[in-house]
mmCIF file of all heavy atoms in Angstrom:
data_model
loop_
_atom_site.group_PDB
_atom_site.id
_atom_site.type_symbol
_atom_site.label_atom_id
_atom_site.label_comp_id
_atom_site.label_asym_id
_atom_site.label_seq_id
_atom_site.Cartn_x
_atom_site.Cartn_y
_atom_site.Cartn_z
ATOM 1 N N GLY A 9 -119.993 -2.605 132.796
ATOM 2 C CA GLY A 9 -119.698 -4.042 132.631
ATOM 3 C C GLY A 9 -118.996 -4.591 133.859
ATOM 4 O O GLY A 9 -118.981 -3.991 134.901
ATOM 5 N N LEU A 10 -118.400 -5.765 133.668
ATOM 6 C CA LEU A 10 -117.699 -6.415 134.726
ATOM 7 C C LEU A 10 -116.240 -6.216 134.573
ATOM 8 O O LEU A 10 -115.621 -6.371 133.495
ATOM 9 C CB LEU A 10 -117.964 -7.934 134.657
ATOM 10 C CG LEU A 10 -117.237 -8.834 135.633
ATOM 11 C CD1 LEU A 10 -117.630 -8.510 137.088
ATOM 12 C CD2 LEU A 10 -117.514 -10.308 135.336
ATOM 13 N N VAL A 11 -115.562 -5.750 135.686
ATOM 14 C CA VAL A 11 -114.151 -5.479 135.687
ATOM 15 C C VAL A 11 -113.529 -5.946 136.944
ATOM 16 O O VAL A 11 -114.191 -5.968 138.025
ATOM 17 C CB VAL A 11 -113.902 -3.936 135.480
ATOM 18 C CG1 VAL A 11 -114.474 -3.138 136.644
ATOM 19 C CG2 VAL A 11 -112.439 -3.656 135.273
ATOM 20 N N GLN A 12 -112.266 -6.357 136.910
ATOM 21 C CA GLN A 12 -111.530 -6.814 138.117
ATOM 22 C C GLN A 12 -111.109 -5.598 138.983
ATOM 23 O O GLN A 12 -110.914 -4.498 138.495
ATOM 24 C CB GLN A 12 -110.342 -7.667 137.731
ATOM 25 C CG GLN A 12 -110.666 -8.924 137.063
ATOM 26 C CD GLN A 12 -109.413 -9.775 136.757
ATOM 27 O OE1 GLN A 12 -108.331 -9.203 136.661
ATOM 28 N NE2 GLN A 12 -109.579 -11.054 136.586
ATOM 29 N N PRO A 13 -110.962 -5.836 140.292
ATOM 30 C CA PRO A 13 -110.428 -4.777 141.121
ATOM 31 C C PRO A 13 -109.111 -4.275 140.590
ATOM 32 O O PRO A 13 -108.231 -4.998 140.154
ATOM 33 C CB PRO A 13 -110.237 -5.414 142.472
ATOM 34 C CG PRO A 13 -111.235 -6.522 142.480
ATOM 35 C CD PRO A 13 -111.273 -7.049 141.048
ATOM 36 N N GLY A 14 -108.971 -2.914 140.638
ATOM 37 C CA GLY A 14 -107.766 -2.224 140.071
ATOM 38 C C GLY A 14 -107.909 -1.965 138.575
ATOM 39 O O GLY A 14 -107.045 -1.220 138.064
ATOM 40 N N GLY A 15 -108.955 -2.391 137.989
ATOM 41 C CA GLY A 15 -109.167 -2.117 136.516
ATOM 42 C C GLY A 15 -109.825 -0.756 136.283
ATOM 43 O O GLY A 15 -110.050 0.031 137.217
ATOM 44 N N SER A 16 -110.075 -0.534 135.003
ATOM 45 C CA SER A 16 -110.634 0.787 134.588
ATOM 46 C C SER A 16 -111.786 0.605 133.653
ATOM 47 O O SER A 16 -111.902 -0.394 132.946
ATOM 48 C CB SER A 16 -109.574 1.604 133.836
ATOM 49 O OG SER A 16 -108.425 1.846 134.677
ATOM 50 N N LEU A 17 -112.715 1.571 133.649
ATOM 51 C CA LEU A 17 -113.829 1.618 132.736
ATOM 52 C C LEU A 17 -114.052 3.093 132.310
ATOM 53 O O LEU A 17 -113.803 3.984 133.122
ATOM 54 C CB LEU A 17 -115.109 1.055 133.285
ATOM 55 C CG LEU A 17 -115.237 -0.452 133.431
ATOM 56 C CD1 LEU A 17 -116.543 -0.765 134.209
ATOM 57 C CD2 LEU A 17 -115.284 -1.102 132.072
ATOM 58 N N ARG A 18 -114.586 3.331 131.137
ATOM 59 C CA ARG A 18 -115.009 4.673 130.780
ATOM 60 C C ARG A 18 -116.539 4.619 130.472
ATOM 61 O O ARG A 18 -116.923 3.912 129.549
ATOM 62 C CB ARG A 18 -114.232 5.188 129.551
ATOM 63 C CG ARG A 18 -114.570 6.696 129.281
ATOM 64 C CD ARG A 18 -113.868 7.208 128.021
ATOM 65 N NE ARG A 18 -114.484 6.678 126.840
ATOM 66 C CZ ARG A 18 -114.201 7.208 125.580
ATOM 67 N NH1 ARG A 18 -113.279 8.125 125.465
ATOM 68 N NH2 ARG A 18 -114.710 6.649 124.526
ATOM 69 N N LEU A 19 -117.289 5.376 131.218
ATOM 70 C CA LEU A 19 -118.713 5.457 130.989
ATOM 71 C C LEU A 19 -119.000 6.674 130.086
ATOM 72 O O LEU A 19 -118.329 7.706 130.168
ATOM 73 C CB LEU A 19 -119.492 5.652 132.289
ATOM 74 C CG LEU A 19 -119.218 4.611 133.367
ATOM 75 C CD1 LEU A 19 -120.075 4.820 134.565
ATOM 76 C CD2 LEU A 19 -119.403 3.187 132.853
ATOM 77 N N SER A 20 -120.022 6.567 129.260
ATOM 78 C CA SER A 20 -120.478 7.628 128.351
ATOM 79 C C SER A 20 -121.927 8.008 128.607
ATOM 80 O O SER A 20 -122.753 7.167 128.934
ATOM 81 C CB SER A 20 -120.321 7.201 126.912
ATOM 82 O OG SER A 20 -119.002 6.940 126.578
ATOM 83 N N CYS A 21 -122.252 9.322 128.528
ATOM 84 C CA CYS A 21 -123.609 9.800 128.620
ATOM 85 C C CYS A 21 -123.822 10.650 127.370
ATOM 86 O O CYS A 21 -123.317 11.730 127.263
ATOM 87 C CB CYS A 21 -123.769 10.590 129.895
ATOM 88 S SG CYS A 21 -125.404 11.357 130.061
ATOM 89 N N ALA A 22 -124.614 10.071 126.437
ATOM 90 C CA ALA A 22 -124.858 10.775 125.149
ATOM 91 C C ALA A 22 -126.189 11.509 125.209
ATOM 92 O O ALA A 22 -127.208 10.863 125.595
ATOM 93 C CB ALA A 22 -124.831 9.716 124.004
ATOM 94 N N ALA A 23 -126.221 12.662 124.724
ATOM 95 C CA ALA A 23 -127.444 13.511 124.833
ATOM 96 C C ALA A 23 -128.056 13.704 123.438
ATOM 97 O O ALA A 23 -127.387 13.772 122.435
ATOM 98 C CB ALA A 23 -127.107 14.933 125.371
ATOM 99 N N SER A 24 -129.426 13.681 123.397
ATOM 100 C CA SER A 24 -130.176 13.991 122.218
ATOM 101 C C SER A 24 -131.274 14.995 122.593
ATOM 102 O O SER A 24 -131.792 14.972 123.698
ATOM 103 C CB SER A 24 -130.868 12.702 121.651
ATOM 104 O OG SER A 24 -129.903 11.750 121.299
ATOM 105 N N GLY A 25 -131.559 15.920 121.693
ATOM 106 C CA GLY A 25 -132.555 16.933 121.886
ATOM 107 C C GLY A 25 -132.088 18.233 122.555
ATOM 108 O O GLY A 25 -132.876 19.118 122.706
ATOM 109 N N PHE A 26 -130.845 18.266 122.937
ATOM 110 C CA PHE A 26 -130.212 19.433 123.497
ATOM 111 C C PHE A 26 -128.735 19.314 123.486
ATOM 112 O O PHE A 26 -128.205 18.272 123.054
ATOM 113 C CB PHE A 26 -130.647 19.641 124.992
ATOM 114 C CG PHE A 26 -130.168 18.643 125.931
ATOM 115 C CD1 PHE A 26 -129.015 18.836 126.728
ATOM 116 C CD2 PHE A 26 -130.790 17.440 126.038
ATOM 117 C CE1 PHE A 26 -128.557 17.913 127.583
ATOM 118 C CE2 PHE A 26 -130.345 16.449 126.911
ATOM 119 C CZ PHE A 26 -129.199 16.685 127.697
ATOM 120 N N THR A 27 -128.006 20.369 123.782
ATOM 121 C CA THR A 27 -126.533 20.358 123.755
ATOM 122 C C THR A 27 -125.997 20.498 125.121
ATOM 123 O O THR A 27 -126.432 21.392 125.904
ATOM 124 C CB THR A 27 -126.008 21.480 122.826
ATOM 125 O OG1 THR A 27 -126.481 22.732 123.266
ATOM 126 C CG2 THR A 27 -126.344 21.243 121.371
ATOM 127 N N PHE A 28 -125.050 19.662 125.514
ATOM 128 C CA PHE A 28 -124.513 19.623 126.808
ATOM 129 C C PHE A 28 -123.778 20.911 127.195
ATOM 130 O O PHE A 28 -123.575 21.224 128.406
ATOM 131 C CB PHE A 28 -123.516 18.455 126.983
ATOM 132 C CG PHE A 28 -124.092 17.197 127.531
ATOM 133 C CD1 PHE A 28 -123.852 15.998 126.905
ATOM 134 C CD2 PHE A 28 -124.893 17.215 128.638
ATOM 135 C CE1 PHE A 28 -124.405 14.820 127.392
ATOM 136 C CE2 PHE A 28 -125.465 16.072 129.168
ATOM 137 C CZ PHE A 28 -125.215 14.832 128.529
ATOM 138 N N SER A 29 -123.317 21.704 126.250
ATOM 139 C CA SER A 29 -122.511 22.884 126.488
ATOM 140 C C SER A 29 -123.257 23.909 127.407
ATOM 141 O O SER A 29 -122.564 24.631 128.123
ATOM 142 C CB SER A 29 -122.066 23.524 125.234
ATOM 143 O OG SER A 29 -123.179 23.919 124.473
ATOM 144 N N GLY A 30 -124.519 23.909 127.397
ATOM 145 C CA GLY A 30 -125.331 24.808 128.213
ATOM 146 C C GLY A 30 -125.883 24.175 129.481
ATOM 147 O O GLY A 30 -126.728 24.789 130.107
ATOM 148 N N TYR A 31 -125.461 22.965 129.817
ATOM 149 C CA TYR A 31 -126.017 22.255 130.940
ATOM 150 C C TYR A 31 -124.939 21.808 131.930
ATOM 151 O O TYR A 31 -123.828 21.457 131.540
ATOM 152 C CB TYR A 31 -126.764 20.959 130.407
ATOM 153 C CG TYR A 31 -128.021 21.286 129.708
ATOM 154 C CD1 TYR A 31 -128.031 21.859 128.462
ATOM 155 C CD2 TYR A 31 -129.256 20.948 130.247
ATOM 156 C CE1 TYR A 31 -129.193 22.166 127.733
ATOM 157 C CE2 TYR A 31 -130.441 21.191 129.585
ATOM 158 C CZ TYR A 31 -130.409 21.814 128.371
ATOM 159 O OH TYR A 31 -131.552 22.067 127.686
ATOM 160 N N ALA A 32 -125.295 21.806 133.218
ATOM 161 C CA ALA A 32 -124.519 21.285 134.255
ATOM 162 C C ALA A 32 -124.785 19.778 134.369
ATOM 163 O O ALA A 32 -125.960 19.435 134.478
ATOM 164 C CB ALA A 32 -124.733 22.003 135.563
ATOM 165 N N THR A 33 -123.800 18.934 134.412
ATOM 166 C CA THR A 33 -124.004 17.494 134.383
ATOM 167 C C THR A 33 -123.262 16.803 135.470
ATOM 168 O O THR A 33 -122.135 17.185 135.833
ATOM 169 C CB THR A 33 -123.523 16.971 133.025
ATOM 170 O OG1 THR A 33 -124.197 17.675 131.966
ATOM 171 C CG2 THR A 33 -123.783 15.468 132.897
ATOM 172 N N SER A 34 -123.874 15.800 136.037
ATOM 173 C CA SER A 34 -123.355 15.028 137.167
ATOM 174 C C SER A 34 -123.510 13.527 136.851
ATOM 175 O O SER A 34 -124.359 13.094 136.079
ATOM 176 C CB SER A 34 -124.118 15.288 138.499
ATOM 177 O OG SER A 34 -124.008 16.652 138.867
ATOM 178 N N TRP A 35 -122.585 12.747 137.456
ATOM 179 C CA TRP A 35 -122.734 11.315 137.549
ATOM 180 C C TRP A 35 -123.126 10.940 138.964
ATOM 181 O O TRP A 35 -122.498 11.367 139.909
ATOM 182 C CB TRP A 35 -121.381 10.618 137.098
ATOM 183 C CG TRP A 35 -121.160 10.581 135.667
ATOM 184 C CD1 TRP A 35 -120.363 11.403 134.919
ATOM 185 C CD2 TRP A 35 -121.651 9.608 134.715
ATOM 186 N NE1 TRP A 35 -120.368 11.059 133.603
ATOM 187 C CE2 TRP A 35 -121.124 9.957 133.420
ATOM 188 C CE3 TRP A 35 -122.516 8.520 134.866
ATOM 189 C CZ2 TRP A 35 -121.445 9.195 132.245
ATOM 190 C CZ3 TRP A 35 -122.793 7.805 133.686
ATOM 191 C CH2 TRP A 35 -122.288 8.149 132.444
ATOM 192 N N TYR A 36 -124.119 10.071 139.044
ATOM 193 C CA TYR A 36 -124.568 9.529 140.294
ATOM 194 C C TYR A 36 -124.410 8.001 140.246
ATOM 195 O O TYR A 36 -124.332 7.434 139.139
ATOM 196 C CB TYR A 36 -126.081 9.855 140.565
ATOM 197 C CG TYR A 36 -126.390 11.266 140.898
ATOM 198 C CD1 TYR A 36 -126.459 12.211 139.948
ATOM 199 C CD2 TYR A 36 -126.547 11.643 142.229
ATOM 200 C CE1 TYR A 36 -126.794 13.492 140.218
ATOM 201 C CE2 TYR A 36 -126.951 12.914 142.525
ATOM 202 C CZ TYR A 36 -127.002 13.898 141.570
ATOM 203 O OH TYR A 36 -127.352 15.187 141.877
ATOM 204 N N ARG A 37 -124.374 7.344 141.382
ATOM 205 C CA ARG A 37 -124.447 5.914 141.430
ATOM 206 C C ARG A 37 -125.300 5.498 142.608
ATOM 207 O O ARG A 37 -125.472 6.181 143.575
ATOM 208 C CB ARG A 37 -123.061 5.300 141.580
ATOM 209 C CG ARG A 37 -122.344 5.600 142.920
ATOM 210 C CD ARG A 37 -120.913 5.088 142.925
ATOM 211 N NE ARG A 37 -120.237 5.335 144.159
ATOM 212 C CZ ARG A 37 -118.947 5.021 144.350
ATOM 213 N NH1 ARG A 37 -118.196 4.594 143.364
ATOM 214 N NH2 ARG A 37 -118.350 5.277 145.536
ATOM 215 N N GLN A 38 -125.904 4.293 142.446
ATOM 216 C CA GLN A 38 -126.733 3.709 143.493
ATOM 217 C C GLN A 38 -126.543 2.199 143.508
ATOM 218 O O GLN A 38 -126.707 1.534 142.520
ATOM 219 C CB GLN A 38 -128.232 4.025 143.225
ATOM 220 C CG GLN A 38 -129.095 3.607 144.408
ATOM 221 C CD GLN A 38 -130.443 4.306 144.442
ATOM 222 O OE1 GLN A 38 -130.960 4.712 143.353
ATOM 223 N NE2 GLN A 38 -131.003 4.464 145.617
ATOM 224 N N ALA A 39 -126.104 1.685 144.688
ATOM 225 C CA ALA A 39 -125.979 0.305 144.933
ATOM 226 C C ALA A 39 -127.161 -0.205 145.708
ATOM 227 O O ALA A 39 -127.821 0.525 146.408
ATOM 228 C CB ALA A 39 -124.694 0.036 145.706
ATOM 229 N N PRO A 40 -127.406 -1.484 145.637
ATOM 230 C CA PRO A 40 -128.542 -2.084 146.334
ATOM 231 C C PRO A 40 -128.454 -1.801 147.827
ATOM 232 O O PRO A 40 -127.450 -2.049 148.443
ATOM 233 C CB PRO A 40 -128.480 -3.601 146.029
ATOM 234 C CG PRO A 40 -127.824 -3.608 144.708
ATOM 235 C CD PRO A 40 -126.789 -2.504 144.770
ATOM 236 N N GLY A 41 -129.585 -1.303 148.438
ATOM 237 C CA GLY A 41 -129.534 -1.007 149.853
ATOM 238 C C GLY A 41 -128.931 0.223 150.293
ATOM 239 O O GLY A 41 -128.817 0.521 151.467
#
């Protein structure tokens, strides 16, 4: 969402069809350009 500088957010990644406990997981980000 939209947040002011200095603010906080919590992102979630919910899985279906498997369990995260057996998987290595990363967060990536991509900005335009």
Side-chain angles (χ1 to χ4, degrees):
L10 176 64
V11 65
Q12 293 183 339
S16 299
L17 285 173
R18 189 183 74 170
L19 307 183
S20 299
C21 177
S24 299
F26 68 98
T27 55
F28 267 132
S29 61
Y31 289 70
T33 304
S34 299
W35 282 97
Y36 289 79
R37 67 185 182 187
Q38 187 160 28

